[in-house]
Amino acid sequence: MAVFQSFENGRITVPEFRSKVYMVLPKTGISEDQKDEVIDSFIRDTMSYGKLDAVLNHPDVSDVVLRSKDIVNVQIKGVWYRSNITFKNTDEYVYFVGRICTKNRVSMNVTNAQIYFSDIDTIETARLRFLGTDASLNTNRLPSMHIRKIDKIKCGVPKLIKDKMLTPDQAAFIREEIKKGTSMLVCGGSGSGKTVLVNNFIEYLNSNVRGVFVQESEELFADTKYNIEFIHTVNNKGEGKVVHTLREISTAALLMNTKVFGIGEIKGDEARDYFTAANTGAQVIATTHGLNVFEGIPRIADLAMYSGDYTLEALLKMLCKNSSIVIFMSKYK
């Protein structure tokens, strides 16, 4: 059992695990043929997400939420559906959620009741961002897990047009504004497609300027812009003591003489840095939550006022030094 736990926790490699198990299994009476089958099955289950593999590898699934043994929901292009994935009983469900945490070397418990972590290795085509909530916080007294899936290979703006996320005219307008150095704030609800939109239009940034994007999870990246850095936060994951907040790394990024400054999602103190960067004349690209196109700027202005001594008038004056567009997203449109 110790060997299996060590492999599950990532403390030994696949060859080491296979070697150790080969020595142990004969004592159980398992035949040579069964031995390889048992080992391969355990390795496959440990290095994947088992029942979730089908939906996590589905190209159109953006989110997966586990709520109970009978409720596993998926989001496809902004619309939620009930999947046919179920667990035999509550114990199996609770164990499965725990295995997700163990696989990613994080700890979720009463003390650390909500944890954020990422997995960029398991799924070949996608990066995964997790938000786990302990049973102590949920009214059904069960742990839950929200998984956001970000494609490693960008679909490209033509595909976004084909999928009717935006029209050819809208795409041409945004592309030209991005090239000109216009700032862009994308607002909308959770799972509305904000990150997908920004990630694809990053490729139209000016290649001759230095840029820095700060984010909580490894969602934004560039395929063709090698002068842009992407920096993510570090959380304690329930056990460690090393923490680097979004505000901390965004403040440091402003000292890097950047002409393009991006924030994965504004929802706290980092709002001040959005206005600070805009005041320097940098091209600023960010996302935030909002119910319509008119709520984007007031929302981040409110967040900036809460975290500093700025007045709304001062913040808007800072913003006026930089041209910007605001885009609203809803259900991948």
Side-chain angles (χ1 to χ4, degrees):
M1 181 60 71
V3 174
F4 284 82
Q5 288 178 338
S6 294
F7 180 63
E8 206 169 32
N9 292 335
R11 290 197 291 267
I12 61 175
T13 64
V14 171
E16 289 172 331
F17 171 73
R18 192 178 289 277
S19 175
K20 290 178 183 293
V21 174
Y22 263 117
M23 293 187 291
V24 174
L25 283 183
K27 300 175 184 177
T28 65
I30 292 177
S31 68
E32 285 295 319
D33 292 338
Q34 291 174 319
K35 192 190 304 181
D36 283 327
E37 186 179 334
V38 169
I39 293 173
D40 290 341
S41 175
F42 187 82
I43 290 174
R44 186 170 56 252
D45 286 347
T46 301
M47 299 189 72
S48 72
Y49 287 101
K51 294 184 177 189
L52 299 183
D53 283 352
V55 292
L56 291 177
N57 282 290
H58 193 290
D60 293 329
V61 171
S62 62
D63 294 77
V64 181
V65 174
L66 290 80
R67 293 182 53 206
S68 71
K69 71 180 184 67
D70 297 318
I71 302 178
V72 178
N73 296 330
V74 299
Q75 184 172 230
I76 299 175
K77 296 183 179 179
V79 181
W80 284 99
Y81 300 93
R82 180 87 166 263
S83 79
N84 59 1
I85 298 170
T86 60
F87 297 87
K88 287 186 295 185
N89 50 50
T90 297
D91 287 343
E92 185 189 25
Y93 168 76
V94 172
Y95 174 77
F96 187 86
V97 174
R99 262 205 63 227
I100 292 177
C101 296
T102 301
K103 172 178 167 53
N104 289 280
R105 304 181 194 180
V106 300
S107 177
M108 183 168 69
N109 48 51
V110 175
T111 305
N112 301 289
Q114 278 203 313
I115 55 174
Y116 301 86
F117 54 95
S118 299
D119 177 359
I120 63 173
D121 300 314
T122 300
I123 304 298
E124 185 177 347
T125 59
R127 303 159 183 251
L128 304 178
R129 185 188 74 189
F130 297 82
L131 167 59
T133 303
D134 186 66
S136 60
L137 293 186
N138 287 326
T139 54
N140 65 356
R141 296 298 182 263
L142 292 173
S144 61
M145 189 68 68
H146 185 144
I147 308 171
R148 167 64 55 82
K149 200 183 85 178
I150 304 98
D151 291 335
K152 289 180 179 177
I153 300 175
K154 299 182 182 182
C155 62
V157 172
K159 179 69 163 54
L160 299 184
I161 296 172
K162 183 179 179 181
D163 289 344
K164 298 182 179 180
M165 175 183 275
L166 70 173
T167 66
D169 286 345
Q170 289 172 334
F173 171 75
I174 296 171
R175 183 171 58 244
E176 291 308 309
E177 293 300 315
I178 290 287
K179 286 181 177 180
K180 287 192 302 186
T182 302
S183 293
M184 183 171 77
L185 177 67
V186 183
C187 60
S190 179
S192 59
K194 302 186 296 294
T195 300
V196 174
L197 185 81
V198 171
N199 222 4
N200 281 279
F201 278 99
I202 283 175
E203 304 300 334
Y204 295 105
L205 287 167
N206 188 332
S207 298
N208 296 318
V209 298
R210 174 165 164 67
V212 176
F213 278 75
V214 299
Q215 52 192 333
E216 284 192 329
S217 302
E218 298 175 90
E219 298 182 339
L220 299 175
F221 60 96
D223 289 331
T224 60
K225 305 302 173 183
Y226 302 110
N227 206 26
I228 297 178
E229 277 188 70
F230 295 85
I231 308 173
H232 65 86
T233 60
V234 176
N235 297 315
N236 63 22
K237 296 185 178 181
E239 294 177 346
K241 295 182 179 179
V242 178
V243 177
H244 297 292
T245 65
L246 193 59
R247 176 70 207 280
E248 176 190 340
I249 61 175
S250 64
T251 300
L254 291 173
L255 303 176
M256 296 182 184
N257 190 30
T258 60
K259 297 301 181 184
V260 178
F261 178 68
I263 304 177
E265 184 175 332
I266 299 174
K267 53 186 178 184
D269 292 350
E270 64 278 355
R272 285 179 56 187
D273 299 317
Y274 178 91
F275 287 95
T276 301
N279 194 42
T280 66
Q283 181 178 13
V284 189
I285 298 175
T287 70
T288 192
H289 283 273
L291 297 177
N292 55 61
V293 73
F294 302 106
E295 283 195 2
I297 296 298
R299 171 176 164 76
I300 60 174
D302 286 341
L303 292 170
M305 285 192 294
Y306 292 147
S307 60
D309 298 325
Y310 294 114
T311 64
L312 179 60
E313 183 182 9
L315 289 168
L316 295 180
K317 186 176 180 181
M318 291 166 66
L319 198 61
C320 286
K321 292 186 178 180
N322 202 359
S323 60
S324 61
I325 58 174
V326 182
I327 298 170
F328 174 67
M329 300 288 300
S330 175
K331 295 183 179 180
Y332 269 67
K333 294 186 185 301

